[in-house]
Amino acid sequence: MFDLLWLIPALPFTAFGVLALFGSRLTRSAAAIAGTLPVAVSAIVAFIISAQFIAAPPVGHAYTQTLRTWVQVGGFNPAVSFLLDPLSIVMVLVITFVSFLILIYSTRFMAGDDGFARFFAYMNLFVGSMLVLVLAEDLLLLYLGWEGVGLCSYLLIGFWYREEENARSAFKAFLVTRIGDASFAVGLFLIFHSLGTLNIQEAMARASQQWVAGSALATAAAGLLLGGAVGKSAQLPLQTWLPDAMAGPTPVSALIHAATMVTAGVYLIARTHVFFELAPVMQHMVAIIGAATLLIAGTSAFVQRDIKRILAYSTMSQIGYMFLALGAGAWMAAMFHFMIHAFFKALLFLGAGVIIQALHEEHDIFSMGGLKEQLPVTFWTFLIGCASLSAVPFVTGGYYSKDLILLEVWNSPQGGSLLFIAGLAGALITSVYSFRLFFIVFFGEPNILVKKTSAPAMTVPLVILAVPAVIGGLVEMPGFFGAPHLFSRFVGNALPGFKALSPAPGTDLRLFVLSCMASLGGIFLAYLMFLRKPAFGKRLADSTPGRLAHRFFLAGWGFDRVYDVLIVEPFVRLSRMNKDDVLDHISRGIAWLVSFMHGLLGLTQSGSLRWYAMAIATGAVIFIGMVILL
């Protein structure tokens, strides 16, 4: 079955090709089948191959499928080859499973849209590009998938491009992520120039042999890769594009946040972990960026009114936890949280889509309320999503993954008390804003009557996603539970194990208590402020410090304004001052010459057949003369 590995990305690409070429001629039912069935088959193939891999692992717990040599120039010979190992298996299973459910949901959500077939074409291209990214054995092929998801994010965020705001949001996402992509590209040049290969495993092996830990080359390579990662994963300082990306359809938001795009940076750092281990400064920077982002995004989520923007800032914060874990050397904890996060974040976004459609496209949570009885399936599944996001102890997958990150950050030589406190504070803030959203939307008096109940195509994916959001954490339970560490045992064949300090006796239990207090305490605060005594929360928000904090957090800590003042506005002024430079004269001269030649050629179009006949005869005489004389 390993020989069928190439089918996993090929099937979504095939669906894209069919829908791009023939989508306008297909009925909506045919387009829906063409857009969902290939990803379903891809998921089935992925599960079968993964089961075979687990039952009978290949030598070295890795299988490589080389399809062809891509380029052969001197010593540069990157191949189109796929690497199947425990890390890529986790990524592929999550991507195909979650993407399939999102596509099923989309068949109903997008049913009335004019661009129905175009939407599914873009979505399949997105899924295929992400699968290439995570399966690539070569950094150049990985970069191809990397740019593919960037292109698809632009197309899908701006899917409703007739509205100027959507087009602006798509352009912003494309432009900001290009900064990180440029850093990644320069990193590839540096790695190939120094190590002579872009094969990921070979490059890491050569780096371990040729580079000294902390050397300038190792630091530069890791720093450039980190630049690419923060752009795609919306981490500081390139995080500003993600909240505006909510302009796209809700299934797009679910796909970007749960299974593709923003997790690409996390995967890149985990896949190239040796470069960061050889650059301790950059690895520590990963942790600092993650800690800062999770706090900034969490406080920003706390004051948002748009239901999708709350979830967008939540994604930034949760990716921050993954970066925090990666920077602390807790590689498997980061990937474990990635997996659990994919389930509950897809669940929350799809649930938000149900709410938005049921309330006549309303996004403002303060215009909602009282939906508990009107949307019972969404109520229960959304509760599970919020509980998992808030890491409610024992009964949610999010608890096991987030608690593992906090525990290993505390016990890591690259971690420490400050990073742990940042993660713990982020957990408290997460619980508050998650259940602020939940209580406001589902309790209280209804402000808008529900237009319609959702079809099974939209509610069944919610129920399915709710299951792993609850029980997914059981594959990696805390050590004091005495349960086997199934996830770390499996992924440990592709990533280094966690190197912990020797904590004092009872440390794990104390950290466990603190983590539970942060989760449950945040929920209790949200209950008091937004359900039990909303007047108290209103008085706090109406105070002078409250208004200032609200304005600051609502603007995402003002990063957009800072970038406008420091970069955008000076560039625009400089462009206006320099609008008549020499290069402009050259381009205008070319345009004048083209226009002049067009006028001359236009004179020959007289409409007189005699002139045309004479021109043909003259040309024939000239041509014959040239043949005879020359």
Side-chain angles (χ1 to χ4, degrees), residues 428-449:
L428 175 66
I429 295 169
T430 300
S431 294
V432 176
Y433 73 68
S434 299
F435 277 85
R436 165 186 178 259
L437 166 63
F438 180 73
F439 291 141
I440 291 173
V441 170
F442 289 99
F443 290 87
E445 294 298 322
N447 292 315
I448 304 174
L449 292 177

PDB file of all heavy atoms in Angstrom, residues 428-449:
ATOM      1  N   LEU A 428      -5.888  31.083  31.559  1.00  0.00           N
ATOM      2  CA  LEU A 428      -6.971  31.778  32.277  1.00  0.00           C
ATOM      3  C   LEU A 428      -7.740  32.692  31.323  1.00  0.00           C
ATOM      4  O   LEU A 428      -8.981  32.676  31.292  1.00  0.00           O
ATOM      5  CB  LEU A 428      -6.370  32.597  33.422  1.00  0.00           C
ATOM      6  CG  LEU A 428      -7.350  33.484  34.192  1.00  0.00           C
ATOM      7  CD1 LEU A 428      -8.370  32.641  34.947  1.00  0.00           C
ATOM      8  CD2 LEU A 428      -6.589  34.408  35.153  1.00  0.00           C
ATOM      9  N   ILE A 429      -7.012  33.473  30.510  1.00  0.00           N
ATOM     10  CA  ILE A 429      -7.655  34.389  29.567  1.00  0.00           C
ATOM     11  C   ILE A 429      -8.479  33.605  28.545  1.00  0.00           C
ATOM     12  O   ILE A 429      -9.592  34.007  28.181  1.00  0.00           O
ATOM     13  CB  ILE A 429      -6.588  35.252  28.863  1.00  0.00           C
ATOM     14  CG1 ILE A 429      -5.890  36.161  29.875  1.00  0.00           C
ATOM     15  CG2 ILE A 429      -7.208  36.090  27.745  1.00  0.00           C
ATOM     16  CD1 ILE A 429      -4.652  36.841  29.329  1.00  0.00           C
ATOM     17  N   THR A 430      -7.941  32.477  28.102  1.00  0.00           N
ATOM     18  CA  THR A 430      -8.654  31.653  27.117  1.00  0.00           C
ATOM     19  C   THR A 430      -9.996  31.191  27.660  1.00  0.00           C
ATOM     20  O   THR A 430     -11.021  31.238  26.965  1.00  0.00           O
ATOM     21  CB  THR A 430      -7.809  30.437  26.723  1.00  0.00           C
ATOM     22  OG1 THR A 430      -6.570  30.868  26.148  1.00  0.00           O
ATOM     23  CG2 THR A 430      -8.537  29.567  25.709  1.00  0.00           C
ATOM     24  N   SER A 431     -10.016  30.724  28.888  1.00  0.00           N
ATOM     25  CA  SER A 431     -11.269  30.269  29.483  1.00  0.00           C
ATOM     26  C   SER A 431     -12.282  31.406  29.585  1.00  0.00           C
ATOM     27  O   SER A 431     -13.474  31.208  29.323  1.00  0.00           O
ATOM     28  CB  SER A 431     -11.009  29.693  30.881  1.00  0.00           C
ATOM     29  OG  SER A 431     -10.231  28.526  30.797  1.00  0.00           O
ATOM     30  N   VAL A 432     -11.800  32.608  29.944  1.00  0.00           N
ATOM     31  CA  VAL A 432     -12.715  33.742  30.093  1.00  0.00           C
ATOM     32  C   VAL A 432     -13.341  34.110  28.755  1.00  0.00           C
ATOM     33  O   VAL A 432     -14.569  34.208  28.625  1.00  0.00           O
ATOM     34  CB  VAL A 432     -11.995  34.961  30.708  1.00  0.00           C
ATOM     35  CG1 VAL A 432     -12.938  36.158  30.752  1.00  0.00           C
ATOM     36  CG2 VAL A 432     -11.500  34.640  32.114  1.00  0.00           C
ATOM     37  N   TYR A 433     -12.506  34.310  27.699  1.00  0.00           N
ATOM     38  CA  TYR A 433     -13.100  34.755  26.435  1.00  0.00           C
ATOM     39  C   TYR A 433     -13.895  33.649  25.742  1.00  0.00           C
ATOM     40  O   TYR A 433     -14.855  33.914  25.028  1.00  0.00           O
ATOM     41  CB  TYR A 433     -12.060  35.372  25.502  1.00  0.00           C
ATOM     42  CG  TYR A 433     -11.080  34.451  24.817  1.00  0.00           C
ATOM     43  CD1 TYR A 433     -11.478  33.541  23.845  1.00  0.00           C
ATOM     44  CD2 TYR A 433      -9.721  34.537  25.103  1.00  0.00           C
ATOM     45  CE1 TYR A 433     -10.564  32.716  23.209  1.00  0.00           C
ATOM     46  CE2 TYR A 433      -8.796  33.720  24.463  1.00  0.00           C
ATOM     47  CZ  TYR A 433      -9.225  32.814  23.533  1.00  0.00           C
ATOM     48  OH  TYR A 433      -8.311  32.006  22.895  1.00  0.00           O
ATOM     49  N   SER A 434     -13.521  32.387  25.952  1.00  0.00           N
ATOM     50  CA  SER A 434     -14.276  31.286  25.333  1.00  0.00           C
ATOM     51  C   SER A 434     -15.690  31.221  25.884  1.00  0.00           C
ATOM     52  O   SER A 434     -16.672  31.117  25.128  1.00  0.00           O
ATOM     53  CB  SER A 434     -13.562  29.954  25.568  1.00  0.00           C
ATOM     54  OG  SER A 434     -12.280  29.947  24.997  1.00  0.00           O
ATOM     55  N   PHE A 435     -15.802  31.289  27.206  1.00  0.00           N
ATOM     56  CA  PHE A 435     -17.139  31.182  27.791  1.00  0.00           C
ATOM     57  C   PHE A 435     -17.866  32.521  27.814  1.00  0.00           C
ATOM     58  O   PHE A 435     -19.099  32.535  27.956  1.00  0.00           O
ATOM     59  CB  PHE A 435     -17.050  30.525  29.166  1.00  0.00           C
ATOM     60  CG  PHE A 435     -17.009  29.031  29.053  1.00  0.00           C
ATOM     61  CD1 PHE A 435     -15.806  28.378  28.843  1.00  0.00           C
ATOM     62  CD2 PHE A 435     -18.169  28.290  29.083  1.00  0.00           C
ATOM     63  CE1 PHE A 435     -15.762  26.996  28.690  1.00  0.00           C
ATOM     64  CE2 PHE A 435     -18.147  26.910  28.935  1.00  0.00           C
ATOM     65  CZ  PHE A 435     -16.944  26.252  28.735  1.00  0.00           C
ATOM     66  N   ARG A 436     -17.173  33.627  27.662  1.00  0.00           N
ATOM     67  CA  ARG A 436     -17.854  34.895  27.345  1.00  0.00           C
ATOM     68  C   ARG A 436     -18.639  34.733  26.053  1.00  0.00           C
ATOM     69  O   ARG A 436     -19.834  35.062  25.965  1.00  0.00           O
ATOM     70  CB  ARG A 436     -16.841  36.014  27.205  1.00  0.00           C
ATOM     71  CG  ARG A 436     -17.363  37.293  26.540  1.00  0.00           C
ATOM     72  CD  ARG A 436     -16.208  38.260  26.333  1.00  0.00           C
ATOM     73  NE  ARG A 436     -16.619  39.496  25.668  1.00  0.00           N
ATOM     74  CZ  ARG A 436     -16.435  39.765  24.377  1.00  0.00           C
ATOM     75  NH1 ARG A 436     -15.869  38.841  23.585  1.00  0.00           N
ATOM     76  NH2 ARG A 436     -16.815  40.905  23.857  1.00  0.00           N
ATOM     77  N   LEU A 437     -17.974  34.193  25.037  1.00  0.00           N
ATOM     78  CA  LEU A 437     -18.628  33.935  23.758  1.00  0.00           C
ATOM     79  C   LEU A 437     -19.799  32.968  23.933  1.00  0.00           C
ATOM     80  O   LEU A 437     -20.910  33.221  23.444  1.00  0.00           O
ATOM     81  CB  LEU A 437     -17.597  33.361  22.781  1.00  0.00           C
ATOM     82  CG  LEU A 437     -18.105  32.718  21.490  1.00  0.00           C
ATOM     83  CD1 LEU A 437     -18.828  33.738  20.632  1.00  0.00           C
ATOM     84  CD2 LEU A 437     -16.941  32.093  20.717  1.00  0.00           C
ATOM     85  N   PHE A 438     -19.576  31.888  24.653  1.00  0.00           N
ATOM     86  CA  PHE A 438     -20.605  30.851  24.803  1.00  0.00           C
ATOM     87  C   PHE A 438     -21.822  31.376  25.555  1.00  0.00           C
ATOM     88  O   PHE A 438     -22.964  31.188  25.117  1.00  0.00           O
ATOM     89  CB  PHE A 438     -20.008  29.645  25.534  1.00  0.00           C
ATOM     90  CG  PHE A 438     -20.972  28.528  25.747  1.00  0.00           C
ATOM     91  CD1 PHE A 438     -21.372  27.723  24.690  1.00  0.00           C
ATOM     92  CD2 PHE A 438     -21.504  28.278  27.005  1.00  0.00           C
ATOM     93  CE1 PHE A 438     -22.270  26.680  24.879  1.00  0.00           C
ATOM     94  CE2 PHE A 438     -22.392  27.247  27.207  1.00  0.00           C
ATOM     95  CZ  PHE A 438     -22.784  26.447  26.146  1.00  0.00           C
ATOM     96  N   PHE A 439     -21.616  32.055  26.673  1.00  0.00           N
ATOM     97  CA  PHE A 439     -22.741  32.534  27.480  1.00  0.00           C
ATOM     98  C   PHE A 439     -23.541  33.607  26.749  1.00  0.00           C
ATOM     99  O   PHE A 439     -24.776  33.610  26.803  1.00  0.00           O
ATOM    100  CB  PHE A 439     -22.234  33.073  28.815  1.00  0.00           C
ATOM    101  CG  PHE A 439     -21.701  32.013  29.747  1.00  0.00           C
ATOM    102  CD1 PHE A 439     -20.571  32.250  30.515  1.00  0.00           C
ATOM    103  CD2 PHE A 439     -22.319  30.773  29.845  1.00  0.00           C
ATOM    104  CE1 PHE A 439     -20.066  31.283  31.375  1.00  0.00           C
ATOM    105  CE2 PHE A 439     -21.832  29.789  30.691  1.00  0.00           C
ATOM    106  CZ  PHE A 439     -20.698  30.050  31.463  1.00  0.00           C
ATOM    107  N   ILE A 440     -22.865  34.521  26.079  1.00  0.00           N
ATOM    108  CA  ILE A 440     -23.573  35.601  25.386  1.00  0.00           C
ATOM    109  C   ILE A 440     -24.409  35.063  24.232  1.00  0.00           C
ATOM    110  O   ILE A 440     -25.548  35.490  24.006  1.00  0.00           O
ATOM    111  CB  ILE A 440     -22.574  36.670  24.891  1.00  0.00           C
ATOM    112  CG1 ILE A 440     -21.979  37.414  26.086  1.00  0.00           C
ATOM    113  CG2 ILE A 440     -23.252  37.656  23.933  1.00  0.00           C
ATOM    114  CD1 ILE A 440     -20.867  38.377  25.706  1.00  0.00           C
ATOM    115  N   VAL A 441     -23.877  34.112  23.489  1.00  0.00           N
ATOM    116  CA  VAL A 441     -24.558  33.606  22.293  1.00  0.00           C
ATOM    117  C   VAL A 441     -25.723  32.695  22.646  1.00  0.00           C
ATOM    118  O   VAL A 441     -26.803  32.794  22.042  1.00  0.00           O
ATOM    119  CB  VAL A 441     -23.554  32.863  21.385  1.00  0.00           C
ATOM    120  CG1 VAL A 441     -24.282  32.123  20.264  1.00  0.00           C
ATOM    121  CG2 VAL A 441     -22.561  33.849  20.786  1.00  0.00           C
ATOM    122  N   PHE A 442     -25.557  31.840  23.645  1.00  0.00           N
ATOM    123  CA  PHE A 442     -26.557  30.796  23.863  1.00  0.00           C
ATOM    124  C   PHE A 442     -27.507  31.060  25.032  1.00  0.00           C
ATOM    125  O   PHE A 442     -28.522  30.379  25.168  1.00  0.00           O
ATOM    126  CB  PHE A 442     -25.864  29.452  24.068  1.00  0.00           C
ATOM    127  CG  PHE A 442     -25.246  28.901  22.813  1.00  0.00           C
ATOM    128  CD1 PHE A 442     -23.887  29.045  22.568  1.00  0.00           C
ATOM    129  CD2 PHE A 442     -26.032  28.278  21.861  1.00  0.00           C
ATOM    130  CE1 PHE A 442     -23.319  28.548  21.406  1.00  0.00           C
ATOM    131  CE2 PHE A 442     -25.476  27.778  20.696  1.00  0.00           C
ATOM    132  CZ  PHE A 442     -24.121  27.923  20.463  1.00  0.00           C
ATOM    133  N   PHE A 443     -27.204  32.018  25.892  1.00  0.00           N
ATOM    134  CA  PHE A 443     -28.075  32.282  27.023  1.00  0.00           C
ATOM    135  C   PHE A 443     -28.682  33.681  26.911  1.00  0.00           C
ATOM    136  O   PHE A 443     -28.373  34.431  25.986  1.00  0.00           O
ATOM    137  CB  PHE A 443     -27.295  32.123  28.339  1.00  0.00           C
ATOM    138  CG  PHE A 443     -26.928  30.705  28.631  1.00  0.00           C
ATOM    139  CD1 PHE A 443     -25.754  30.156  28.117  1.00  0.00           C
ATOM    140  CD2 PHE A 443     -27.743  29.898  29.405  1.00  0.00           C
ATOM    141  CE1 PHE A 443     -25.405  28.837  28.381  1.00  0.00           C
ATOM    142  CE2 PHE A 443     -27.414  28.572  29.670  1.00  0.00           C
ATOM    143  CZ  PHE A 443     -26.250  28.048  29.158  1.00  0.00           C
ATOM    144  N   GLY A 444     -29.532  34.027  27.857  1.00  0.00           N
ATOM    145  CA  GLY A 444     -30.200  35.314  27.811  1.00  0.00           C
ATOM    146  C   GLY A 444     -31.423  35.284  26.906  1.00  0.00           C
ATOM    147  O   GLY A 444     -31.907  34.226  26.485  1.00  0.00           O
ATOM    148  N   GLU A 445     -31.908  36.471  26.603  1.00  0.00           N
ATOM    149  CA  GLU A 445     -33.085  36.604  25.766  1.00  0.00           C
ATOM    150  C   GLU A 445     -32.706  36.621  24.293  1.00  0.00           C
ATOM    151  O   GLU A 445     -31.720  37.271  23.916  1.00  0.00           O
ATOM    152  CB  GLU A 445     -33.842  37.894  26.104  1.00  0.00           C
ATOM    153  CG  GLU A 445     -34.451  37.894  27.499  1.00  0.00           C
ATOM    154  CD  GLU A 445     -35.472  36.792  27.676  1.00  0.00           C
ATOM    155  OE1 GLU A 445     -36.230  36.524  26.709  1.00  0.00           O
ATOM    156  OE2 GLU A 445     -35.527  36.192  28.765  1.00  0.00           O
ATOM    157  N   PRO A 446     -33.472  35.945  23.430  1.00  0.00           N
ATOM    158  CA  PRO A 446     -33.167  35.985  21.985  1.00  0.00           C
ATOM    159  C   PRO A 446     -33.351  37.391  21.426  1.00  0.00           C
ATOM    160  O   PRO A 446     -34.340  38.066  21.716  1.00  0.00           O
ATOM    161  CB  PRO A 446     -34.186  35.013  21.383  1.00  0.00           C
ATOM    162  CG  PRO A 446     -34.683  34.188  22.525  1.00  0.00           C
ATOM    163  CD  PRO A 446     -34.595  35.055  23.737  1.00  0.00           C
ATOM    164  N   ASN A 447     -32.393  37.839  20.644  1.00  0.00           N
ATOM    165  CA  ASN A 447     -32.488  39.135  19.978  1.00  0.00           C
ATOM    166  C   ASN A 447     -32.935  39.005  18.531  1.00  0.00           C
ATOM    167  O   ASN A 447     -33.493  39.934  17.955  1.00  0.00           O
ATOM    168  CB  ASN A 447     -31.131  39.855  20.023  1.00  0.00           C
ATOM    169  CG  ASN A 447     -30.758  40.271  21.427  1.00  0.00           C
ATOM    170  OD1 ASN A 447     -31.589  40.803  22.157  1.00  0.00           O
ATOM    171  ND2 ASN A 447     -29.516  40.018  21.816  1.00  0.00           N
ATOM    172  N   ILE A 448     -32.644  37.840  17.932  1.00  0.00           N
ATOM    173  CA  ILE A 448     -33.023  37.588  16.541  1.00  0.00           C
ATOM    174  C   ILE A 448     -33.643  36.205  16.471  1.00  0.00           C
ATOM    175  O   ILE A 448     -33.125  35.246  17.062  1.00  0.00           O
ATOM    176  CB  ILE A 448     -31.798  37.654  15.603  1.00  0.00           C
ATOM    177  CG1 ILE A 448     -31.073  38.988  15.726  1.00  0.00           C
ATOM    178  CG2 ILE A 448     -32.219  37.434  14.148  1.00  0.00           C
ATOM    179  CD1 ILE A 448     -29.786  39.056  14.928  1.00  0.00           C
ATOM    180  N   LEU A 449     -34.741  36.092  15.763  1.00  0.00           N
ATOM    181  CA  LEU A 449     -35.372  34.787  15.590  1.00  0.00           C
ATOM    182  C   LEU A 449     -34.559  33.946  14.610  1.00  0.00           C
ATOM    183  O   LEU A 449     -34.054  34.446  13.598  1.00  0.00           O
ATOM    184  CB  LEU A 449     -36.803  34.947  15.080  1.00  0.00           C
ATOM    185  CG  LEU A 449     -37.794  35.572  16.059  1.00  0.00           C
ATOM    186  CD1 LEU A 449     -39.149  35.726  15.384  1.00  0.00           C
ATOM    187  CD2 LEU A 449     -37.912  34.731  17.333  1.00  0.00           C
TER     188      LEU A 449
END
